[in-house]
Protein backbone atom coordinates (compact mmCIF):
# COMPACT_ATOMS: atom_id res chain seq x y z
CA UNK A 1 0.00 0.00 0.00
CA UNK A 2 1.27 3.48 -0.90
CA UNK A 3 2.55 5.45 2.08
CA UNK A 4 1.11 8.90 2.67
CA UNK A 5 2.37 11.73 4.84
CA UNK A 6 1.14 12.47 8.34
CA UNK A 7 -0.41 15.70 7.02
CA UNK A 8 -2.38 13.76 4.41
CA UNK A 9 -3.59 11.31 7.07
CA UNK A 10 -4.80 14.26 9.14
CA UNK A 11 -6.48 15.80 6.09
CA UNK A 12 -8.41 12.60 5.42
CA UNK A 13 -9.61 12.58 9.03
CA UNK A 14 -10.73 16.21 8.80
CA UNK A 15 -12.56 15.54 5.55
CA UNK A 16 -14.35 12.53 7.07
CA UNK A 17 -15.50 14.61 10.06
CA UNK A 18 -16.50 17.57 7.88
CA UNK A 19 -18.28 15.77 5.03
CA UNK A 20 -19.21 12.33 6.32
CA UNK A 21 -20.11 13.40 9.88
CA UNK A 22 -17.67 10.79 11.16
CA UNK A 23 -16.53 10.83 14.77
CA UNK A 24 -12.94 11.96 14.87
CA UNK A 25 -11.61 9.13 17.03
CA UNK A 26 -13.23 6.46 14.84
CA UNK A 27 -12.13 8.13 11.61
CA UNK A 28 -8.58 8.48 12.91
CA UNK A 29 -8.41 4.83 14.02
CA UNK A 30 -9.77 3.64 10.67
CA UNK A 31 -7.40 5.74 8.56
CA UNK A 32 -4.35 4.93 10.70
CA UNK A 33 -5.18 1.24 10.50
CA UNK A 34 -5.54 1.49 6.72
CA UNK A 35 -2.27 3.34 6.00
CA UNK A 36 -0.21 2.05 8.95
CA UNK A 37 2.17 5.05 9.29
CA UNK A 38 5.24 4.80 11.50
CA UNK A 39 5.15 5.73 15.18
CA UNK A 40 6.26 9.35 14.71
CA UNK A 41 3.96 9.98 11.75
CA UNK A 42 1.10 8.41 13.68
CA UNK A 43 1.67 10.81 16.59
CA UNK A 44 2.05 13.83 14.29
CA UNK A 45 -1.11 13.00 12.32
CA UNK A 46 -3.06 12.64 15.56
CA UNK A 47 -1.80 15.96 16.86
CA UNK A 48 -2.68 17.70 13.60
CA UNK A 49 -6.18 16.28 13.24
CA UNK A 50 -7.15 16.69 16.88
CA UNK A 51 -5.51 20.12 17.09
CA UNK A 52 -7.48 21.46 14.13
CA UNK A 53 -10.74 20.10 15.51
CA UNK A 54 -10.12 21.54 18.99
CA UNK A 55 -9.38 24.99 17.59
CA UNK A 56 -11.88 24.95 14.73
CA UNK A 57 -13.81 28.14 15.48
CA UNK A 58 -10.62 30.13 16.10
CA UNK A 59 -8.94 28.86 12.93
CA UNK A 60 -12.01 29.67 10.84
CA UNK A 61 -12.22 33.13 12.41
CA UNK A 62 -8.55 33.84 11.71
CA UNK A 63 -8.73 32.55 8.14
CA UNK A 64 -11.81 34.68 7.54
CA UNK A 65 -9.65 37.79 7.79
CA UNK A 66 -7.81 36.76 4.60
CA UNK A 67 -10.66 35.40 2.47
CA UNK A 68 -12.98 37.26 0.10
CA UNK A 69 -15.54 34.44 0.22
CA UNK A 70 -16.63 32.62 3.39
CA UNK A 71 -14.59 29.57 4.31
CA UNK A 72 -17.79 27.49 4.28
CA UNK A 73 -18.13 28.15 0.53
CA UNK A 74 -14.74 26.60 -0.28
CA UNK A 75 -14.33 23.08 -1.63
CA UNK A 76 -14.21 20.84 1.50
CA UNK A 77 -10.73 19.50 0.69
CA UNK A 78 -9.38 23.02 0.29
CA UNK A 79 -11.25 24.27 3.38
CA UNK A 80 -9.57 21.62 5.51
CA UNK A 81 -6.17 22.10 3.90
CA UNK A 82 -6.41 25.77 4.92
CA UNK A 83 -7.37 24.78 8.47
CA UNK A 84 -4.51 22.30 8.62
CA UNK A 85 -1.99 24.91 7.49
CA UNK A 86 -3.43 27.55 9.80
CA UNK A 87 -3.17 25.26 12.80
CA UNK A 88 0.53 24.61 12.14
CA UNK A 89 1.22 28.32 11.72
CA UNK A 90 -0.71 29.51 14.77
CA UNK A 91 -0.23 26.67 17.25
CA UNK A 92 2.81 24.54 16.35
CA UNK A 93 5.98 26.46 17.08
CA UNK A 94 8.24 23.62 15.98
CA UNK A 95 6.82 23.70 12.43
CA UNK A 96 8.33 26.56 10.39
CA UNK A 97 5.73 28.78 8.72
CA UNK A 98 7.34 28.15 5.33
CA UNK A 99 7.01 24.39 5.77
CA UNK A 100 3.33 24.73 6.74
CA UNK A 101 2.66 26.85 3.64
CA UNK A 102 4.63 24.65 1.26
CA UNK A 103 3.18 21.36 2.49
CA UNK A 104 -0.34 22.79 2.36
CA UNK A 105 0.27 23.94 -1.21
CA UNK A 106 1.35 20.41 -2.14
CA UNK A 107 -1.83 19.00 -0.62
CA UNK A 108 -3.83 21.57 -2.61
CA UNK A 109 -2.07 20.39 -5.78
CA UNK A 110 -3.18 16.82 -5.06
CA UNK A 111 -6.72 17.56 -3.92
CA UNK A 112 -7.68 20.64 -5.96
CA UNK A 113 -7.30 22.14 -9.42
CA UNK A 114 -4.06 23.90 -10.42
CA UNK A 115 -5.39 27.39 -9.80
CA UNK A 116 -6.12 26.71 -6.14
CA UNK A 117 -2.48 26.09 -5.22
CA UNK A 118 -1.61 29.77 -5.36
CA UNK A 119 -4.77 30.65 -3.46
CA UNK A 120 -3.89 28.33 -0.57
CA UNK A 121 -0.29 29.50 -0.54
CA UNK A 122 -1.30 33.17 -0.57
CA UNK A 123 -3.87 32.87 2.23
CA UNK A 124 -1.50 30.97 4.51
CA UNK A 125 1.45 33.27 3.86
CA UNK A 126 -0.73 36.26 4.73
CA UNK A 127 -1.80 34.47 7.89
CA UNK A 128 1.82 33.74 8.78
CA UNK A 129 2.74 37.42 8.33
CA UNK A 130 -0.26 39.05 9.99
CA UNK A 131 -2.27 36.45 11.85
CA UNK A 132 -0.60 36.96 15.21
CA UNK A 133 -1.45 40.66 15.14
CA UNK A 134 -5.22 40.08 14.85
CA UNK A 135 -6.76 41.20 18.16
CA UNK A 136 -9.17 38.97 20.03
CA UNK A 137 -12.37 40.51 21.45
CA UNK A 138 -11.73 42.54 24.58
CA UNK A 139 -11.78 40.42 27.74
CA UNK A 140 -13.41 43.13 29.85
CA UNK A 141 -16.02 44.18 27.29
CA UNK A 142 -17.04 40.69 26.15
CA UNK A 143 -15.45 37.90 28.21
CA UNK A 144 -17.59 35.19 26.57
CA UNK A 145 -16.49 36.14 23.04
CA UNK A 146 -12.88 36.46 24.20
CA UNK A 147 -12.78 33.03 25.88
CA UNK A 148 -14.73 31.41 23.04
CA UNK A 149 -12.19 32.52 20.41
CA UNK A 150 -9.04 32.58 22.54
CA UNK A 151 -9.65 29.07 23.89
CA UNK A 152 -11.82 27.62 21.10
CA UNK A 153 -15.13 26.65 22.69
CA UNK A 154 -18.73 27.34 21.60
CA UNK A 155 -20.02 30.61 23.02
CA UNK A 156 -23.08 28.96 24.61
CA UNK A 157 -20.85 26.60 26.56
CA UNK A 158 -18.49 29.35 27.68
CA UNK A 159 -21.50 31.38 28.81
CA UNK A 160 -22.74 28.52 31.03
CA UNK A 161 -19.35 27.87 32.58
CA UNK A 162 -18.66 31.57 33.11
CA UNK A 163 -21.90 31.85 35.06
CA UNK A 164 -21.19 28.75 37.15
CA UNK A 165 -17.41 28.83 37.65
CA UNK A 166 -16.33 32.44 37.03
CA UNK A 167 -13.64 33.78 34.73
CA UNK A 168 -10.47 32.06 35.94
CA UNK A 169 -11.97 28.58 36.28
CA UNK A 170 -13.72 28.82 32.91
CA UNK A 171 -10.44 29.66 31.24
CA UNK A 172 -8.68 26.84 33.11
CA UNK A 173 -11.36 24.34 32.08
CA UNK A 174 -11.17 25.40 28.44
CA UNK A 175 -7.37 25.18 28.51
CA UNK A 176 -7.57 21.67 29.98
CA UNK A 177 -9.98 20.62 27.24
CA UNK A 178 -7.48 21.79 24.64
CA UNK A 179 -4.70 19.60 25.99
CA UNK A 180 -4.25 15.89 25.30
CA UNK A 181 -6.01 13.48 27.63
CA UNK A 182 -3.78 10.92 29.36
CA UNK A 183 -3.87 7.36 28.07
CA UNK A 184 -5.10 5.36 31.05
CA UNK A 185 -5.74 1.66 31.48
CA UNK A 186 -7.29 -0.39 34.27
CA UNK A 187 -5.39 -3.45 35.44
CA UNK A 188 -7.42 -6.65 35.35
CA UNK A 189 -6.65 -7.65 38.92
CA UNK A 190 -8.31 -11.03 38.38
CA UNK A 191 -5.25 -11.96 36.31
CA UNK A 192 -2.39 -9.67 37.28
CA UNK A 193 -1.35 -7.01 39.82
CA UNK A 194 -0.78 -3.42 38.79
CA UNK A 195 2.95 -3.77 39.43
CA UNK A 196 3.13 -6.93 37.32
CA UNK A 197 1.23 -5.24 34.48
CA UNK A 198 3.51 -2.23 34.67
CA UNK A 199 6.55 -4.46 34.28
CA UNK A 200 4.94 -6.39 31.42
CA UNK A 201 4.11 -3.19 29.55
CA UNK A 202 7.65 -1.94 29.97
CA UNK A 203 8.87 -5.18 28.36
CA UNK A 204 6.73 -4.13 25.38
CA UNK A 205 8.41 -0.67 25.32
CA UNK A 206 5.32 1.00 26.77
CA UNK A 207 6.00 3.53 29.52
CA UNK A 208 3.66 3.01 32.47
CA UNK A 209 3.21 4.74 35.82
CA UNK A 210 0.52 4.47 38.51
CA UNK A 211 -2.45 6.83 38.41
CA UNK A 212 -2.78 9.30 41.24
CA UNK A 213 -6.04 8.05 42.75
CA UNK A 214 -7.35 4.84 41.19
CA UNK A 215 -5.54 1.81 42.68
CA UNK A 216 -5.79 -0.27 39.49
CA UNK A 217 -4.96 2.51 37.02
CA UNK A 218 -1.86 3.11 34.92
CA UNK A 219 -0.96 6.08 32.76
CA UNK A 220 0.81 4.84 29.67
CA UNK A 221 2.79 6.34 26.79
CA UNK A 222 4.34 4.94 23.64
CA UNK A 223 1.23 2.83 23.24
CA UNK A 224 0.74 0.90 20.00
CA UNK A 225 -2.55 -0.09 18.47
CA UNK A 226 -4.54 -2.51 20.62
CA UNK A 227 -4.85 -4.72 17.56
CA UNK A 228 -2.51 -7.64 18.08
CA UNK A 229 -1.01 -6.22 21.30
CA UNK A 230 -0.34 -9.30 23.41
CA UNK A 231 -1.03 -7.95 26.94
CA UNK A 232 -4.38 -6.64 25.72
CA UNK A 233 -5.30 -9.84 23.92
CA UNK A 234 -4.44 -11.79 27.07
CA UNK A 235 -6.97 -9.71 29.01
CA UNK A 236 -4.49 -8.07 31.35
CA UNK A 237 -6.05 -4.62 31.07
CA UNK A 238 -8.87 -2.51 29.69
CA UNK A 239 -8.65 1.08 28.47
CA UNK A 240 -10.46 3.30 30.99
CA UNK A 241 -9.97 6.82 32.34
CA UNK A 242 -9.11 7.21 36.00
CA UNK A 243 -12.33 9.06 36.84
CA UNK A 244 -14.37 6.26 35.29
CA UNK A 245 -12.46 3.70 37.37
CA UNK A 246 -13.39 5.60 40.53
CA UNK A 247 -17.10 5.05 39.79
CA UNK A 248 -16.67 1.35 40.56
CA UNK A 249 -15.13 2.21 43.92
CA UNK A 250 -18.01 4.57 44.65
CA UNK A 251 -20.34 1.56 44.36
CA UNK A 252 -17.94 -1.06 45.86
CA UNK A 253 -20.19 -4.15 45.59
CA UNK A 254 -19.17 -7.06 47.82
CA UNK A 255 -18.36 -10.58 46.53
CA UNK A 256 -21.52 -12.62 46.08
CA UNK A 257 -23.78 -9.58 45.62
CA UNK A 258 -26.50 -9.11 43.06
CA UNK A 259 -25.65 -6.09 40.90
CA UNK A 260 -27.50 -4.29 38.12
CA UNK A 261 -25.48 -2.17 35.71
CA UNK A 262 -28.39 -0.32 34.14
CA UNK A 263 -26.63 1.18 31.08
CA UNK A 264 -23.73 -1.18 30.74
CA UNK A 265 -22.33 -1.28 27.20
CA UNK A 266 -19.54 -1.74 26.29
CA UNK A 267 -18.94 -3.24 29.73
CA UNK A 268 -16.03 -1.12 30.92
CA UNK A 269 -17.53 -0.40 34.35
CA UNK A 270 -19.36 -3.75 34.43
CA UNK A 271 -16.11 -5.68 34.24
CA UNK A 272 -14.58 -3.46 36.93
CA UNK A 273 -17.48 -4.29 39.25
CA UNK A 274 -16.83 -7.97 38.54
CA UNK A 275 -13.18 -7.48 39.51
CA UNK A 276 -14.12 -5.79 42.77
CA UNK A 277 -16.41 -8.75 43.51
CA UNK A 278 -13.69 -11.29 42.73
CA UNK A 279 -15.93 -12.55 39.88
CA UNK A 280 -18.29 -13.93 42.54
CA UNK A 281 -21.98 -13.04 42.52
CA UNK A 282 -24.39 -11.98 39.78
CA UNK A 283 -24.15 -8.91 37.56
CA UNK A 284 -26.95 -8.16 35.13
CA UNK A 285 -25.51 -5.88 32.47
CA UNK A 286 -28.45 -4.11 30.85
CA UNK A 287 -28.31 -2.09 27.64
CA UNK A 288 -30.93 -0.97 25.15
CA UNK A 289 -28.76 -1.47 22.05
CA UNK A 290 -28.58 -5.10 20.81
CA UNK A 291 -25.29 -4.65 18.94
CA UNK A 292 -23.65 -3.23 22.07
CA UNK A 293 -24.68 -6.21 24.19
CA UNK A 294 -22.19 -8.24 22.17
CA UNK A 295 -19.39 -5.87 23.21
CA UNK A 296 -20.07 -6.64 26.88
CA UNK A 297 -19.76 -10.37 26.21
CA UNK A 298 -16.55 -9.86 24.20
CA UNK A 299 -14.92 -7.85 27.00
CA UNK A 300 -15.95 -10.40 29.62
CA UNK A 301 -14.47 -13.29 27.62
CA UNK A 302 -11.18 -11.48 27.07
CA UNK A 303 -10.88 -10.56 30.75
CA UNK A 304 -11.90 -14.03 31.95
CA UNK A 305 -15.07 -12.85 33.73
CA UNK A 306 -17.97 -15.27 34.23
CA UNK A 307 -20.38 -13.57 36.66
CA UNK A 308 -21.84 -11.09 34.13
CA UNK A 309 -25.10 -11.72 32.28
CA UNK A 310 -25.57 -9.28 29.36
CA UNK A 311 -29.26 -8.50 28.81
CA UNK A 312 -30.97 -6.35 26.21
CA UNK A 313 -33.42 -4.00 27.90
CA UNK A 314 -34.45 -0.43 28.64
CA UNK A 315 -33.54 0.81 32.13
CA UNK A 316 -36.61 3.05 32.09
CA UNK A 317 -38.86 0.01 31.97
CA UNK A 318 -37.13 -2.87 33.77
CA UNK A 319 -38.64 -6.34 33.68
CA UNK A 320 -40.87 -7.14 36.64
CA UNK A 321 -38.47 -9.93 37.62
CA UNK A 322 -35.88 -7.25 38.42
CA UNK A 323 -38.11 -5.47 40.96
CA UNK A 324 -36.12 -5.14 44.21
CA UNK A 325 -33.69 -7.76 42.88
CA UNK A 326 -30.35 -5.95 43.27
CA UNK A 327 -28.13 -5.28 46.27
CA UNK A 328 -26.30 -2.68 44.19
CA UNK A 329 -27.33 -0.64 41.15
CA UNK A 330 -25.06 1.40 38.92
CA UNK A 331 -26.62 3.91 36.55
CA UNK A 332 -23.88 5.47 34.47
CA UNK A 333 -26.39 7.51 32.52
CA UNK A 334 -26.24 8.77 28.94
CA UNK A 335 -25.35 12.45 29.13
CA UNK A 336 -24.16 15.52 27.25
CA UNK A 337 -20.54 14.31 27.59
CA UNK A 338 -19.13 17.75 28.41
CA UNK A 339 -16.57 16.22 30.77
CA UNK A 340 -14.72 14.34 28.03
CA UNK A 341 -14.27 17.07 25.41
CA UNK A 342 -10.48 16.71 25.39
CA UNK A 343 -10.91 13.08 24.28
CA UNK A 344 -13.45 13.95 21.60
CA UNK A 345 -12.13 17.09 19.92
CA UNK A 346 -15.01 17.36 17.46
CA UNK A 347 -17.73 16.87 20.09
CA UNK A 348 -17.83 20.48 21.30
CA UNK A 349 -19.00 21.60 17.84
CA UNK A 350 -21.65 18.87 17.55
CA UNK A 351 -23.46 19.62 20.79
CA UNK A 352 -26.29 22.09 21.33
CA UNK A 353 -27.46 23.64 24.56
CA UNK A 354 -31.03 22.41 24.18
CA UNK A 355 -29.78 18.80 24.21
CA UNK A 356 -28.93 19.15 27.93
CA UNK A 357 -32.61 19.39 28.91
CA UNK A 358 -33.37 16.41 26.66
CA UNK A 359 -30.65 14.33 28.32
CA UNK A 360 -31.83 15.35 31.79
CA UNK A 361 -35.33 14.12 30.92
CA UNK A 362 -33.99 10.74 29.80
CA UNK A 363 -31.80 10.44 32.91
CA UNK A 364 -34.78 11.14 35.15
CA UNK A 365 -36.72 8.27 33.56
CA UNK A 366 -33.75 5.90 33.76
CA UNK A 367 -33.13 6.77 37.40
CA UNK A 368 -36.75 6.03 38.24
CA UNK A 369 -36.58 2.65 36.52
CA UNK A 370 -33.20 1.65 37.98
CA UNK A 371 -34.26 2.62 41.50
CA UNK A 372 -37.17 0.15 41.33
CA UNK A 373 -34.65 -2.68 40.95
CA UNK A 374 -32.90 -1.96 44.27
CA UNK A 375 -33.62 -3.87 47.46
CA UNK A 376 -34.34 -1.95 50.68
CA UNK A 377 -30.95 -1.34 52.27
CA UNK A 378 -29.24 -1.44 48.89
CA UNK A 379 -26.92 1.11 47.26
CA UNK A 380 -27.40 3.02 44.00
CA UNK A 381 -24.63 5.02 42.35
CA UNK A 382 -25.63 7.57 39.74
CA UNK A 383 -22.83 8.84 37.49
CA UNK A 384 -22.27 10.82 34.30
CA UNK A 385 -19.29 12.03 32.26
CA UNK A 386 -20.55 15.60 32.16
CA UNK A 387 -20.33 18.80 34.19
CA UNK A 388 -23.80 20.37 34.04
CA UNK A 389 -25.81 20.82 37.22
CA UNK A 390 -29.08 19.76 35.57
CA UNK A 391 -27.65 16.35 34.72
CA UNK A 392 -25.70 15.87 37.94
CA UNK A 393 -26.42 17.23 41.41
CA UNK A 394 -29.68 18.78 40.25
CA UNK A 395 -30.80 15.40 38.93
CA UNK A 396 -29.99 13.73 42.26
CA UNK A 397 -31.69 16.42 44.34
CA UNK A 398 -34.78 16.17 42.17
CA UNK A 399 -34.83 12.39 42.62
CA UNK A 400 -34.51 12.69 46.39
CA UNK A 401 -37.48 15.06 46.62
CA UNK A 402 -39.61 12.36 44.99
CA UNK A 403 -38.05 9.46 46.89
CA UNK A 404 -37.65 10.15 50.61
CA UNK A 405 -36.78 6.47 51.08
CA UNK A 406 -33.35 7.27 49.53
CA UNK A 407 -30.57 9.30 51.10
CA UNK A 408 -27.08 10.34 50.04
CA UNK A 409 -24.34 8.29 51.73
CA UNK A 410 -20.81 9.29 52.72
CA UNK A 411 -18.23 8.58 49.99
CA UNK A 412 -15.19 9.66 51.99
CA UNK A 413 -14.35 6.09 53.05
CA UNK A 414 -14.53 4.80 49.46
CA UNK A 415 -12.73 7.47 47.43
CA UNK A 416 -9.34 9.13 48.07
CA UNK A 417 -9.44 12.24 50.24
CA UNK A 418 -7.13 14.07 47.84
CA UNK A 419 -9.99 14.36 45.36
CA UNK A 420 -12.19 16.29 47.76
CA UNK A 421 -11.22 19.90 47.07
CA UNK A 422 -14.81 21.05 47.45
CA UNK A 423 -15.55 18.98 50.57
CA UNK A 424 -18.51 17.10 49.10
CA UNK A 425 -17.47 13.45 49.54
CA UNK A 426 -18.90 13.30 53.04
CA UNK A 427 -22.17 14.58 51.59
CA UNK A 428 -22.28 11.66 49.18
CA UNK A 429 -21.21 13.09 45.81
CA UNK A 430 -18.32 14.58 43.87
CA UNK A 431 -17.84 16.52 40.64
CA UNK A 432 -14.49 15.78 39.01
CA UNK A 433 -13.12 18.34 36.55
CA UNK A 434 -10.18 18.05 34.12
CA UNK A 435 -8.45 21.25 35.27
CA UNK A 436 -8.80 20.43 38.97
CA UNK A 437 -8.19 16.70 39.05
CA UNK A 438 -6.22 15.90 35.87
CA UNK A 439 -8.81 13.40 34.67
CA UNK A 440 -12.06 13.35 32.73
CA UNK A 441 -14.96 15.39 34.04
CA UNK A 442 -17.21 12.99 35.94
CA UNK A 443 -19.99 13.18 38.48
CA UNK A 444 -20.93 10.43 40.91
CA UNK A 445 -23.35 10.21 43.82
CA UNK A 446 -23.97 7.28 46.20
CA UNK A 447 -27.51 6.76 47.51
CA UNK A 448 -28.73 4.25 50.07
CA UNK A 449 -32.33 2.97 50.08
CA UNK A 450 -33.68 2.92 53.60
CA UNK A 451 -35.07 -0.24 55.14
CA UNK A 452 -38.61 0.62 56.16
CA UNK A 453 -40.35 -1.04 59.13
Amino acid sequence: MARISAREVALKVLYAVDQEEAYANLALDRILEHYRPGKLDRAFATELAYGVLRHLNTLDWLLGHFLRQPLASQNPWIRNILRLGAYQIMYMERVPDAAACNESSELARRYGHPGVVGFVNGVLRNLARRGRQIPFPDLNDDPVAYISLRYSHPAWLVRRWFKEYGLEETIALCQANNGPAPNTVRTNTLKVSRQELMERLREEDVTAEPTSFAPEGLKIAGFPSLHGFAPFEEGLFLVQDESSILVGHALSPFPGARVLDAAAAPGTKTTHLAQLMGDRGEITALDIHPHKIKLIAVNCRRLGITCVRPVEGDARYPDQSMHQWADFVLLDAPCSGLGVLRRRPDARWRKAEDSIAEMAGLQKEMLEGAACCLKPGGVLVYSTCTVTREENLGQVEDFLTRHPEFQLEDLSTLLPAGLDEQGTLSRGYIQLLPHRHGMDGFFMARLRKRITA
Side-chain angles (χ1 to χ4, degrees):
M1 182 178 296
R3 296 290 295 273
I4 65 174
S5 70
R7 288 180 172 88
E8 195 166 355
V9 169
L11 176 61
K12 287 180 178 292
V13 174
L14 296 175
Y15 183 88
V17 172
D18 188 0
Q19 290 298 292
E20 300 163 11
E21 297 186 351
Y23 291 106
N25 60 327
L26 300 180
L28 180 64
D29 288 347
R30 172 174 55 82
I31 292 167
L32 288 175
E33 188 64 26
H34 182 75
Y35 289 101
R36 300 287 184 91
K39 190 174 181 179
L40 292 178
D41 278 351
R42 184 185 186 95
F44 188 42
T46 300
E47 182 179 359
L48 287 173
Y50 278 19
V52 168
L53 291 169
R54 287 189 181 106
H55 296 277
L56 199 61
N57 69 329
T58 308
L59 294 172
D60 287 2
W61 175 73
L62 288 167
L63 286 166
H65 288 77
F66 305 101
L67 295 170
R68 291 192 179 92
Q69 300 296 324
L71 190 63
S73 69
Q74 303 295 330
N75 170 286
W77 286 109
I78 301 306
R79 177 166 62 245
N80 287 293
I81 288 169
L82 286 170
R83 288 167 170 166
L84 198 57
Y87 176 71
Q88 293 170 78
I89 290 167
M90 300 304 299
Y91 292 100
M92 299 186 74
E93 292 182 2
R94 70 177 186 274
V95 177
D97 290 350
C101 294
N102 293 338
E103 293 295 334
S104 298
S105 298
E106 285 304 309
L107 287 174
R109 196 182 311 280
R110 292 194 62 179
Y111 288 88
H113 58 80
V116 83
V117 177
F119 165 71
V120 167
N121 189 55
V123 169
L124 292 178
R125 289 193 181 279
N126 277 330
L127 178 68
R129 284 195 295 269
R130 297 158 47 199
R132 295 173 182 85
Q133 281 74 54
I134 297 173
F136 286 100
D138 187 85
L139 174 60
N140 295 316
D141 291 343
D142 194 343
V144 170
Y146 172 83
I147 297 170
S148 176
L149 286 170
R150 179 68 178 81
Y151 300 103
S152 304
H153 279 67
W156 70 263
L157 190 52
V158 172
R159 192 175 297 110
R160 286 180 65 94
W161 289 346
F162 184 74
K163 184 178 179 180
E164 183 168 356
Y165 298 118
L167 176 65
E168 291 185 5
E169 278 223 86
T170 299
I171 290 175
L173 179 52
C174 290
Q175 286 179 312
N177 287 339
N178 288 338
N183 292 316
T184 311
V185 301
R186 187 192 81 231
T187 308
N188 179 10
T189 52
L190 297 172
K191 290 190 173 185
V192 67
S193 71
R194 179 164 71 171
Q195 183 62 37
E196 288 168 338
L197 177 60
M198 192 158 45
E199 292 168 1
R200 176 68 186 278
L201 291 174
R202 286 171 178 167
E203 291 172 4
E204 302 283 347
D205 295 324
V206 174
T207 303
E209 62 179 38
T211 48
S212 301
F213 300 106
E216 312 92 333
L218 287 174
K219 291 182 181 179
I220 59 174
F223 193 65
S225 168
L226 291 177
H227 181 72
F229 186 55
F232 178 78
E233 300 288 351
E234 293 166 22
L236 303 186
F237 69 88
L238 195 71
V239 176
Q240 186 176 13
D241 186 70
E242 186 173 12
S243 57
S244 176
I245 298 173
L246 292 171
V247 172
H249 291 286
L251 190 64
S252 289
F254 53 76
R258 285 179 169 182
V259 179
L260 171 64
D261 188 347
T268 306
K269 295 179 183 68
T270 314
T271 53
H272 186 213
L273 299 179
Q275 282 180 216
L276 295 173
M277 296 163 62
D279 200 27
R280 300 194 301 276
E282 300 176 63
I283 300 178
T284 296
L286 194 69
D287 203 90
I288 196 170
H289 302 289
H291 66 286
K292 292 185 177 181
I293 291 292
K294 296 176 182 177
L295 299 176
I296 301 172
V298 167
N299 275 321
C300 287
R301 279 196 300 271
R302 187 175 59 80
L303 298 172
I305 288 167
T306 61
C307 73
V308 172
R309 182 173 67 100
V311 175
E312 180 186 343
D314 189 334
R316 295 174 296 177
Y317 316 111
D319 188 83
Q320 185 61 32
S321 64
M322 295 297 294
H323 182 68
Q324 295 193 6
W325 174 84
D327 301 298
F328 295 88
V329 171
L330 171 62
L331 176 58
D332 184 54
C335 67
S336 59
L338 298 177
V340 293
L341 293 182
R342 59 182 179 167
R343 293 192 185 279
R344 301 171 187 170
D346 51 324
R348 67 188 72 178
W349 314 118
R350 297 181 188 272
K351 298 183 183 298
E353 188 167 18
D354 56 11
S355 67
I356 294 171
E358 294 175 14
M359 295 307 304
L362 173 61
Q363 293 155 1
K364 179 179 179 179
E365 293 178 348
M366 294 180 74
L367 194 48
E368 287 288 332
C372 292
C373 301
L374 191 65
K375 293 177 181 178
V379 171
L380 183 153
V381 163
Y382 173 79
S383 65
T384 73
C385 60
T386 197
V387 297
T388 69
R389 195 181 195 285
E390 302 98 303
E391 298 175 86
N392 294 340
L393 185 58
Q395 187 72 256
V396 171
E397 290 174 341
D398 181 57
F399 175 79
L400 291 172
T401 61
R402 299 192 309 277
H403 292 277
E405 73 274 21
F406 281 83
Q407 62 184 7
L408 284 163
E409 184 168 80
D410 189 354
L411 275 167
S412 61
T413 60
L414 299 172
L415 297 179
L419 291 170
D420 201 17
E421 296 179 358
Q422 304 302 307
T424 64
L425 280 180
S426 62
R427 286 180 263 165
Y429 67 92
I430 189 167
Q431 175 71 69
L432 301 173
L433 293 166
H435 67 288
R436 288 184 190 165
H437 303 99
M439 59 183 86
D440 288 350
F442 242 88
F443 175 84
M444 58 197 82
R446 179 181 170 98
L447 299 96
R448 174 82 67 175
K449 186 176 184 179
R450 293 184 178 93
I451 299 175
T452 54

